[in-house]
Amino acid sequence: DTGVSQDPRHKITKRGQNVTFRCDPISEHNRLYWYRQTLGQGPEFLTYFQNEAQLEKSRLLSDRFSAERPKGSFSTLEIQRTEQGDSAMYLCASSFTEDRGYTFGSGTRLTVV
Amino acid sequence: DQQVKQNSPSLSVQEGRISILNCDYTNSMFDYFLWYKKYPAEGPTFLISISSIKDKNEDGRFTVFLNKSAKHLSLHIVPSQPGDSAVYFCAAPNAGNNRKLIWGLGTSLAVNP
């Protein structure tokens, strides 16, 4: 396990459909973050897990968004009833508690048509 | 309120010359700073970091300088190579327990052969 994996790399969906993304962090990292990035912006924080506990959710995360990290390993991010404004790259990052380094996955590019 | 600012959206340099990317911050509580490089359609890749107790950190062709009194840091790339062409983001973990990253908007670097 040499990095953070995200699946799928690309997703095109019709407005109103539900989508789910998966993130597999580095195995010894107990912190996991989801960010969203749109063109010309830095990544925006969405949510954060320490082990299996979701400790913070951004106000950007409407009730259509839900994230889980069962057993403190992989994480999923689900978007229900997608809207065109949800089109973005969704990034997952992991880190170890006392380590300030963050490793990012390659991201999932979501396009809502 | 942009706590981390990268005021130059783009920079163009000749191959072999020095690239200097700048970053300013407003929050004096930041204790660590990171630089990431991002290619289109990929997640950010960690480049180099610096603790707030240091004023310089060097790793190969990359050096980061921190001026705490000016709340300013810069990334120097010497010599610049065409493969360095990417968007560079400055980021800092927030002072809270979640350590989520606060990002600048990025600087797009083009290294011309």
Side-chain angles (χ1 to χ4, degrees):
Chain A
D1 185 351
T2 57
V4 177
S5 299
Q6 289 189 248
D7 183 69
R9 288 293 306 274
H10 305 277
K11 178 72 177 178
I12 300 174
T13 190
K14 291 184 179 178
R15 190 171 48 187
Q17 297 293 304
N18 299 343
V19 294
T20 300
F21 310 141
R22 177 180 170 122
C23 171
D24 287 273
I26 292 174
S27 56
E28 61 266 29
H29 286 182
N30 53 7
R31 289 180 172 230
L32 186 146
Y33 301 81
W34 284 98
Y35 290 84
R36 179 174 68 187
Q37 186 171 24
T38 52
L39 200 62
Q41 300 292 320
E44 298 172 296
F45 170 78
L46 292 179
T47 190
Y48 152 65
F49 290 85
Q50 185 161 328
N51 299 311
E52 67 275 10
Q54 186 175 21
L55 297 184
E56 185 171 342
K57 281 177 65 170
S58 165
R59 284 171 293 178
L60 292 173
L61 226 59
S62 74
D63 56 5
R64 296 185 297 106
F65 288 72
S66 61
E68 293 182 342
R69 192 184 182 196
K71 302 177 185 177
S73 56
F74 71 92
S75 176
T76 58
L77 177 68
E78 181 183 15
I79 310 174
Q80 296 181 325
R81 305 181 303 282
T82 52
E83 301 172 356
Q84 285 189 319
D86 298 331
S87 297
M89 175 168 280
Y90 290 83
L91 295 164
C92 176
S94 70
S95 72
F96 187 63
T97 304
E98 298 302 320
D99 179 7
R100 294 178 171 90
Y102 303 75
T103 303
F104 280 82
S106 297
T108 295
R109 167 71 65 187
L110 173 67
T111 303
V112 181
V113 297
Chain B
D1 176 34
Q2 196 79 19
Q3 295 186 66
V4 177
K5 301 176 186 177
Q6 292 177 259
N7 293 319
S8 298
S10 62
L11 176 67
S12 181
V13 300
Q14 282 299 117
E15 180 178 5
R17 298 289 184 96
I18 184 171
S19 296
I20 300 176
L21 297 108
N22 294 306
C23 178
D24 297 292
Y25 62 96
T26 58
N27 189 342
S28 57
M29 299 298 290
F30 287 146
D31 61 353
Y32 219 80
F33 301 90
L34 304 95
W35 283 93
Y36 282 83
K37 174 181 176 180
K38 188 179 184 302
Y39 294 115
E42 293 186 14
T45 302
F46 172 73
L47 271 179
I48 192 168
S49 63
I50 188 166
S51 165
S52 62
I53 63 173
K54 305 274 181 131
D55 55 19
K56 178 182 174 181
N57 188 25
E58 191 172 353
D59 183 1
R61 295 185 299 114
F62 302 92
T63 304
V64 56
F65 295 92
L66 175 62
N67 181 335
K68 281 190 70 176
S69 60
K71 294 193 177 72
H72 176 83
L73 60 154
S74 60
L75 173 68
H76 292 212
I77 307 174
V78 182
S80 302
Q81 301 172 352
D84 296 330
S85 298
V87 179
Y88 289 78
F89 289 95
C90 172
N94 78 341
N97 289 333
N98 61 27
R99 304 294 284 169
K100 67 185 180 187
L101 289 174
I102 312 297
W103 297 80
L105 295 181
T107 297
S108 178
L109 173 66
V111 179
N112 305 308

